[in-house]
Amino acid sequence: TNILMIVLDSWGYRDCDSLVTPHIYEFSKKGVLYSHHYSGSNGTRGGIFSLFYGLPGVYWYDFMEQQIAPVFMRELKSQNYDVRLYPSASLRNPAFDKNAFSLCPDQCESASGSKAWERDLDLAHRFTSFVNARTKDSQPFFSLLFFDSLHSMIVPDGYEGPFQPSWSYPRYEALCSSTDPKEFRNLYRNMAYYVDSIVGSVLDNLEKKGVLENTVVVITGDHAQEFNENGKGFWGHNGNYSEAQVRVPLIYVNKKYSPSVCHHWTSHFDVVPTLMQ
């Protein structure tokens, strides 16, 4: 069985629906959508660490200094999985190449492109090319697709999203406790809509090639993004551990599971134990 993990940097739970991420939302109907899922942290470092280790990010430095790979990644290697990482931004800063992905540090370089939206297109193209080149006797693969456009919020050339009015770039210098979040939120939602179109093309190709029949798919965010929902002047992430910064979507597609929506509490700590069963 192949395993595909798709992570959208800074993807909050409110923006997984038929309007903001229509392709992903439609795909979620093939599996289980967990509506109350939480990252292990409010930032990329702890979020990805908790996702791959099933442990709190407080262990980050110990595992990095000793370059201890996750049990999950070691098991993939022992079962001869073809491990392919497709990060948009480099996985060397933070130093995931020294803990979570220490078994494949050569795959931690950023995708090609000077801007996040260019790199996201590149990683999707490279993964699709990898899938298209596979044959029936190819060994099973594990792939991580880590998209960054929603985090950077740098708008692609000529792109105008459906949510208006919107800022044309993230105006961090204008943010304070009294800033109206509407146009900033619309910029964020427009970028989610953009990334969703790329993810949709990746998923459509998997279905076209018949690869989905033998693939477990996990789609989530490393952490969420706050727009002053708490009224305390917090914007973005790494600011507090409220729901606005740590509650993220989780979609789990496995043919062994009937499509459903689950409302009980789940977290990143649950994902690897579930996969390893």
Side-chain angles (χ1 to χ4, degrees):
T1 301
N2 307 309
I3 303 172
L4 173 61
M5 191 175 290
I6 298 175
V7 180
L8 277 58
D9 198 326
S10 306
W11 190 29
Y13 74 99
R14 292 186 302 168
D15 295 298
C16 176
D17 59 30
S18 60
L19 295 178
V20 181
T21 53
H23 296 93
I24 295 174
Y25 184 75
E26 189 63 27
F27 182 75
S28 73
K29 298 177 182 178
K30 299 179 184 293
V32 184
L33 172 63
Y34 293 91
S35 65
H36 284 78
H37 184 81
Y38 292 80
S39 170
S41 186
N42 59 5
T44 295
R45 182 181 299 177
I48 294 296
F49 187 93
S50 63
L51 183 62
F52 276 83
Y53 286 94
L55 295 169
V58 68
Y59 293 106
W60 167 274
Y61 290 105
D62 292 331
F63 280 56
M64 182 182 69
E65 289 171 2
Q66 301 180 58
Q67 297 198 24
I68 300 173
V71 173
F72 175 61
M73 297 298 289
R74 298 204 301 268
E75 184 64 21
L76 291 173
K77 184 177 182 179
S78 72
Q79 294 194 25
N80 296 315
Y81 267 73
D82 187 356
V83 175
R84 303 285 181 124
L85 307 181
Y86 297 93
S88 179
S90 170
L91 294 174
R92 298 188 186 279
N93 185 23
F96 290 110
D97 60 329
K98 290 181 171 58
N99 50 38
F101 307 120
S102 58
L103 296 181
C104 42
D106 57 317
Q107 297 192 42
C108 292
E109 299 292 346
S110 64
S112 296
S114 61
K115 299 176 181 177
W117 64 268
E118 295 173 317
R119 296 194 299 270
D120 285 358
L121 284 172
D122 177 66
L123 77 86
H125 173 73
R126 289 190 294 114
F127 174 71
T128 296
S129 297
F130 162 69
V131 169
N132 292 347
R134 287 173 54 81
T135 62
K136 290 184 178 180
D137 57 351
S138 295
Q139 64 196 92
F141 69 82
F142 166 78
S143 284
L144 167 68
L145 277 59
F146 194 3
F147 293 93
D148 195 43
S149 289
L150 190 53
H151 173 257
S152 77
M153 287 186 273
I154 301 300
V155 179
D157 298 339
Y159 173 71
E160 184 173 339
F163 302 100
Q164 300 297 330
S166 168
W167 284 354
S168 57
Y169 70 95
R171 298 174 55 196
Y172 296 115
E173 74 281 2
L175 298 177
C176 64
S177 59
S178 61
T179 302
D180 184 344
K182 180 178 181 180
E183 293 188 37
F184 193 17
R185 278 277 294 138
N186 281 344
L187 169 61
Y188 174 85
R189 296 170 81 196
N190 283 332
M191 294 310 300
Y193 191 85
Y194 169 77
V195 176
D196 172 77
S197 68
I198 301 176
V199 174
S201 67
V202 168
L203 297 173
D204 287 345
N205 184 69
L206 289 174
E207 189 158 25
K208 177 182 176 182
K209 294 293 181 180
V211 178
L212 276 181
E213 293 298 315
N214 193 37
T215 302
V216 172
V217 181
V218 176
I219 307 178
T220 190
D222 56 344
H223 54 80
Q225 193 84 341
E226 183 172 357
F227 294 88
N228 197 26
E229 285 91 342
N230 293 297
K232 296 183 178 181
F234 286 103
W235 302 86
H237 53 280
N238 276 323
N240 60 57
Y241 291 94
S242 69
E243 183 174 87
Q245 295 193 29
V246 299
R247 185 176 169 187
V248 297
L250 177 69
I251 296 161
Y252 184 75
V253 176
N254 183 335
K255 63 182 180 181
K256 296 179 181 179
Y257 290 72
S258 299
S260 62
V261 177
C262 291
H263 300 293
H264 60 272
W265 183 300
T266 59
S267 80
H268 275 10
F269 302 129
D270 301 316
V271 175
V272 159
T274 300
L275 290 171
M276 290 194 68
Q277 291 180 13

